């Protein structure tokens, strides 16, 4: 397998760590299988919106699917550094590359750029919360064009409920999210529904870039807890959120496992590496078996893991209830 990493515009240092990670997972020639023996080889372009653990894992998992299948493929991975305009430039470059056989877009804004610019080859997305709301597909069951993929819609209602299981005295939840990410608005709406059901006050603030996260957190005022959705901008600044939470002594529950590994208290989340592998398997069916993206239903994960971080809880003056520790699939040490 050949992997070529590149970066549009700024951020060469950031993409370097992705290249090392991806090469360690997928570098080198794979063992011979039926796919490799057939002589097929492909070039796949990858647009990743920004670097953070969840998106890095999704990209690595996608590449791993090809490694596992023994398929000869060259990956051209480009990171947009969180900029929609850069994602659009990358997508235009892939659209004009006659050697590209398929494009993967990682995260909703990247997928929107790819779907707009690329009509001549299949486009797959992953780490997209609601592809219909993002105007990527006509429907989840029948996408209807050259675009399909996997959704990372997380169990938002259960995650809000988890906050009350961690601390029954919680009366308010604060959420900071990016105004430019459709996926985040979908999650905030779901969180509001659950908050209303539980009698919780939901306070929100929006940002347009990671530099605005501290001000947005301050604007929430007094809150008893913080919920971090799978928002690419905010997750990129998770250290700022965790520092704020420690200072205010309020627990953080996140939409995926990455922030918990960094110090958030808990999540009921999906495995982005597995999601990436699932997306890669869809790509293989398109490239080798000739399946049509127009009729390939958007796929999702149905199993979610409870992940807790006792040290993260201690940092905000909270002790995780024993029943949650017993139920946890992973207890971060």
């Amino acid at each position: 397998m050949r992997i070529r990493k590149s970066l549009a515009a700024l951020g060469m240092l950031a993409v370097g760590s992705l290249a090392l990670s991806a090469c360690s997972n997928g570098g080198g020639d794979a063992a011979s299988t039926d796919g490799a023996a057939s002589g097929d080889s492909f070039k796949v372009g990858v647009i990743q919106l920004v670097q953070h653990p969840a998106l890095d894992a999704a990209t690595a998992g996608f590449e791993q699917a090809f490694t596992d299948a023994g398929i000869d493929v060259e990956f051209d991975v480009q990171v947009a550094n969180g900029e929609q305009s850069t994602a659009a430039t990358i997508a235009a470059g892939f659209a004009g590359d006659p050697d590209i056989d398929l494009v993967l877009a990682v995260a909703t804004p990247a997928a929107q750029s790819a779907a707009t610019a690329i009509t001549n080859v299949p486009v797959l997305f992953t780490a997209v919360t609601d592809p219909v709301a993002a105007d990527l597909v006509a429907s989840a069951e029948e996408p209807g064009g050259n675009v399909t993929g996997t959704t990372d819609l997380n169990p938002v209602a259960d995650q809000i409920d988890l906050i009350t299981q961690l601390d029954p005295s919680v009366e308010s939840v604060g959420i900071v999210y990016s105004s430019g990410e459709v996926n985040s608005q979908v999650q905030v709406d779901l969180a509001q529904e659950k908050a209303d059901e539980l009698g919780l006050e939901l306070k929100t603030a929006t940002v347009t870039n990671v530099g605005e996260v501290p001000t947005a957190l301050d604007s929430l005022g007094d809150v008893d807890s913080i919920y971090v959705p799978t928002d690419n901008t905010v997750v990129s600044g998770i250290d700022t959120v965790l520092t704020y939470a420690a200072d205010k002594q309020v627990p953080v529950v996140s939409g995926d496992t990455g922030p918990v590994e960094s110090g958030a208290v808990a999540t009921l989340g999906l495995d982005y590496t597995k999601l990436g592998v699932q997306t890669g398997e869809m790509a293989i069916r398109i490239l080798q078996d000739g399946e049509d993206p127009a009729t390939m239903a958007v796929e999702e994960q149905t199993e979610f893991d409870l992940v807790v971080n006792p040290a993260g809880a201690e940092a905000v003056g909270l002790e995780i209830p024993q029943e949650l520790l017993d139920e946890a699939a992973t207890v971060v040490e």
Side-chain angles (χ1 to χ4, degrees):
M1 179 177 296
R2 301 159 311 200
I3 301 177
R4 178 162 64 89
K5 305 288 180 182
S6 59
L7 177 68
L10 302 178
M12 190 63 70
L13 291 177
V15 80
S17 62
L18 176 62
L20 291 173
S21 170
C23 287
S24 67
N25 282 284
D29 292 333
S32 177
T33 69
D34 291 341
S38 70
D40 290 337
S41 63
F42 304 99
K43 182 177 180 181
V44 174
V46 179
I47 310 171
Q48 182 172 318
L49 179 65
V50 69
Q51 279 199 288
H52 62 65
L55 300 191
D56 291 351
T59 298
F62 181 81
E63 294 174 353
Q64 187 62 44
F66 286 87
T67 300
D68 293 344
I71 296 173
D72 184 23
V73 59
E74 175 187 350
F75 292 105
D76 184 356
V77 179
Q78 301 195 37
V79 180
N81 296 318
E83 297 292 336
Q84 183 87 52
S85 59
T86 304
T89 299
I90 297 169
F94 286 155
D97 186 342
D99 295 326
I100 291 286
D101 297 296
L102 180 144
V103 171
L104 171 71
V106 187
T108 300
Q112 290 171 318
S113 293
T116 299
I118 301 168
T119 58
N120 56 326
V121 297
V123 174
L124 285 179
F125 55 77
T126 192
V128 168
T129 301
D130 189 336
V132 176
D135 293 325
L136 297 173
V137 296
S139 74
E141 296 76 19
E142 292 282 342
N146 68 315
V147 181
T148 187
T150 58
T151 172
D152 66 348
L153 181 59
N154 46 307
V156 176
D158 291 336
Q159 291 167 347
I160 298 299
D161 190 56
L162 179 59
I163 293 174
T164 64
Q165 295 177 54
L166 289 163
D167 184 358
S169 69
V170 164
E171 296 181 350
S172 60
V173 180
I175 304 178
V176 172
Y177 67 101
S178 171
S179 59
E181 296 189 37
V182 175
N183 51 297
S184 299
Q185 186 62 61
V186 169
Q187 293 171 82
V188 170
D189 292 343
L190 292 171
Q192 184 67 68
E193 291 178 11
K194 187 62 178 181
D196 290 343
E197 177 186 323
L198 295 174
L200 299 174
E201 180 184 9
L202 194 71
K203 298 182 178 182
T204 64
T206 60
V207 297
T208 60
N209 59 68
V210 69
E212 296 176 357
V213 170
T215 302
L217 287 166
D218 286 335
S219 74
L220 293 174
D222 292 332
V223 293
D224 300 324
S225 60
I226 294 174
Y227 175 65
V228 178
T230 55
D231 181 290
N232 299 290
T233 302
V234 177
V235 172
S236 296
I238 192 62
D239 289 344
T240 300
V241 178
L242 295 174
T243 298
Y244 177 88
D247 181 59
K248 299 294 185 180
Q249 291 289 279
V250 296
V252 176
V253 167
S254 61
D256 69 275
T257 59
V260 182
E261 293 169 356
S262 298
V265 176
T267 189
L268 187 66
L270 58 79
D271 185 321
Y272 275 87
T273 300
K274 291 180 181 178
L275 189 70
V277 170
Q278 187 175 355
T279 316
E281 291 169 348
M282 294 180 72
I284 291 168
R285 299 205 309 270
I286 292 170
L287 293 172
Q288 287 206 318
D289 302 335
E291 289 197 32
D292 184 357
T295 58
M296 295 176 70
V298 174
E299 296 186 8
E300 61 184 1
Q301 287 194 353
T302 58
E303 296 182 1
F304 303 95
D305 292 334
L306 176 61
V307 180
V308 298
N309 187 330
E314 183 179 359
V316 296
L318 183 69
E319 183 176 352
I320 297 174
Q322 187 60 48
E323 57 266 30
L324 291 178
L325 290 171
D326 293 341
E327 292 174 13
T330 302
V331 177
V332 177
E333 300 293 340

